[in-house]
DNA sequence: CGAATCATTGAGGAATTTCAAGTGGTGTGG
DNA sequence: CCACACCACTTGAAATTCCTCAATGATTCG
């Protein structure tokens, strides 16, 4: 568990064109975006680190992001994957509690947290949305809890595939942006177990694997059954 | 995993004296309490069920509460334990996402959610506290994630003991309100593994077990080392 | 093509679970 | 006050799942 081939994360990414515009009925998924700047992040580059001050809120424009915590000896637990349209990095406190990294080359909208929070002071709707966003994050993590605490490898992988399929609009085929190690560290397994379980599911005709990164859900009922 | 000796949960508990008083600078840990009614819940009695409408917010006055999710076949994952002073059951959405049960005979303050939320509409401070409360819950669950996904039995039990010791003021001795099954379902283990691990820690002189429910932390440094 | 990265597969081992039995404390009723 | 039943907990032995170690494929990219 100590070796990890993934590139060392170095800070990077340069602002493009910051905009100061402020809408009237600000929403996090809407006009708030005008307050941010679009920034490119290369694959495996860190967006923010655990325990760093939470100065910004982020929104994935393209690409994908993972957030994780590390144990002293390098064991890693991924908390969530963020896909285009997802907001991440919003903290109620002062510091980030996870590290965030681009999984693939990504474009990420970067918004000053203070701008959002101060706008929320006068905008009841926005303020409510901030709470909702934290609550959504909570809901997701609570689902993961049950998975990590009580599900076996098959159930975990099935849940993962169904989750990804739900989050990407594209019908029954999913192009996974993350490698096996990421999936393993999300599901609390090893890459070998993830790989073996995927082939098991393929043998059972529940899925097809045209390439290692592309998964076709062939029998959702079977996967849902595994999902508990 | 299908057998569970715990008593069947039946609804129960009768309101005592509802109060309508409202403070000026309302806080969740302060004057909001005036808006609630103190209610007794017997051991193993359900406070609310998963997916029920979240009409109330709760605060433990005395006793202890567990919240959990079940899988179809009865596997259970406990999300949190609540001790005197803790608030639980606050949802940003309309429904509870866990079931809550009294672990021991408990007194619980029951507050109408609508009262809190409507007061929060005009009270910026309270509104912020609601967000903070959800964020605290998130923080706790995120810590559990790392535990369930990546820690071994010794590390899990050590983390649990340290957490409980931190949450009860009483120095190095902790009186556990919950049974081994609860601990197991919190840590994603079996009762046997929890029991064996506790005796291992006792043999290693990290803890003492005067009774099965009382734990004395004898070597916090050792436990912290295990905690990663 | 060769190197590097990522993924799959196999064999053996380790940690945890499962199954089973036994211990200890507590409360009830004779 | 003892006997019995009931729980919660502990302990042991066997089984199982998942992990570790190791080798082999596959894909990409200079």
């Amino acid at each position: 568990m100590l070796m990890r081939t993934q590139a060392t994360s170095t800070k990077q990414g340069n602002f493009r064109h910051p905009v100061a515009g402020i809408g009237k009925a600000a929403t996090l998924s809407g006009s708030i975006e005008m307050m941010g700047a679009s920034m490119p992040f290369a694959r495996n580059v860190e967006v923010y680190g655990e325990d760093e001050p939470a100065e910004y809120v982020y929104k994935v424009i393209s690409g994908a992001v993972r957030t994780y915590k590390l144990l002293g000896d390098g064991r890693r637990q991924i908390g969530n994957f963020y896909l285009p349209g997802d907001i991440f990095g919003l903290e109620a406190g002062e510091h980030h509690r996870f590290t965030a990294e681009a999984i693939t080359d990504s474009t990420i909208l970067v918004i000053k947290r203070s701008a959002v929070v101060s706008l929320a002071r006068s905008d009841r709707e926005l303020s409510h949305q901030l709470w909702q966003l934290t609550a959504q994050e909570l809901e997701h993590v609570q689902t993961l809890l049950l998975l990590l605490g009580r599900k076996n490898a098959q159930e975990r992988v099935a849940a993962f595939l169904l989750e990804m399929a739900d989050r990407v609009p594209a019908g029954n085929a999913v192009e996974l942006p993350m490698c096996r190690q990421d999936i393993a560290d999300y599901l609390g397994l090893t890459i070998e177990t993830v790989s073996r379980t995927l082939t098991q599911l393929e043998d059972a005709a529940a899925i097809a694997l045209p390439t290692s990164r592309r998964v076709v859900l062939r029998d959702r009922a079977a996967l849902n059954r595994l999902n508990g």
Side-chain angles (χ1 to χ4, degrees), chain A residues 48-56 89-98 113-114 117 121:
Chain A
Y48 56 77
E50 190 176 342
D51 295 327
E52 283 183 11
E55 289 189 58
Y56 298 95
L90 172 68
E91 308 285 345
E94 295 304 306
H95 296 273
H96 288 296
R97 278 193 280 275
F98 280 67
R113 191 192 114 103
S114 59
V117 168
R121 237 184 292 282

Side-chain angles (χ1 to χ4, degrees), chain A residues 109-221:
Chain A
L109 190 69
V110 182
I111 307 144
K112 248 203 172 333
R113 191 192 114 103
S114 59
V116 179
V117 168
S118 78
L119 185 55
R121 237 184 292 282
S122 60
D123 186 332
R124 189 144 309 292
E125 177 59 26
L126 177 59
S127 148
H128 184 251
Q129 278 183 46
L130 294 181
W131 183 24
Q132 286 292 327
L133 208 59
T134 300
Q136 274 170 40
E137 199 67 41
L138 176 58
E139 182 169 11
H140 176 265
V141 172
Q142 285 172 337
T143 305
L144 254 194
L145 261 202
L146 185 56
L147 181 148
L148 293 174
R150 288 297 176 222
K151 291 187 178 177
N152 64 29
Q154 282 215 349
E155 294 167 331
R156 293 181 197 204
V157 171
F160 169 72
L161 294 176
L162 288 169
E163 183 195 349
M164 293 308 289
D166 271 2
R167 291 176 57 176
V168 180
N172 278 335
V174 188
E175 185 77 27
L176 300 175
M178 70 291 285
C179 65
R180 294 289 187 271
Q181 184 67 62
D182 286 340
I183 300 173
D185 288 349
Y186 181 60
L187 300 178
L189 301 170
T190 60
I191 41 174
E192 292 95 333
T193 299
V194 170
S195 187
R196 276 188 256 267
T197 305
L198 284 170
T199 37
Q200 279 171 32
L201 291 175
E202 191 176 28
D203 292 347
I207 63 169
L209 286 163
T211 75
S212 69
R213 294 292 184 106
R214 171 166 290 273
V215 186
V216 180
L217 307 197
R218 206 168 264 300
D219 186 354
R220 270 183 193 259

Side-chain angles (χ1 to χ4, degrees), chain A residues 56-85:
Chain A
Y56 298 95
V57 180
Y58 304 85
K59 179 170 177 172
V60 181
I61 303 302
S62 70
V65 170
R66 62 179 166 252
T67 53
Y68 64 84
K69 271 181 185 294
L70 289 178
L71 241 30
D73 59 0
R75 280 175 288 178
R76 184 178 71 156
Q77 178 62 46
I78 289 182
N80 212 344
F81 294 117
Y82 297 93
L83 304 178

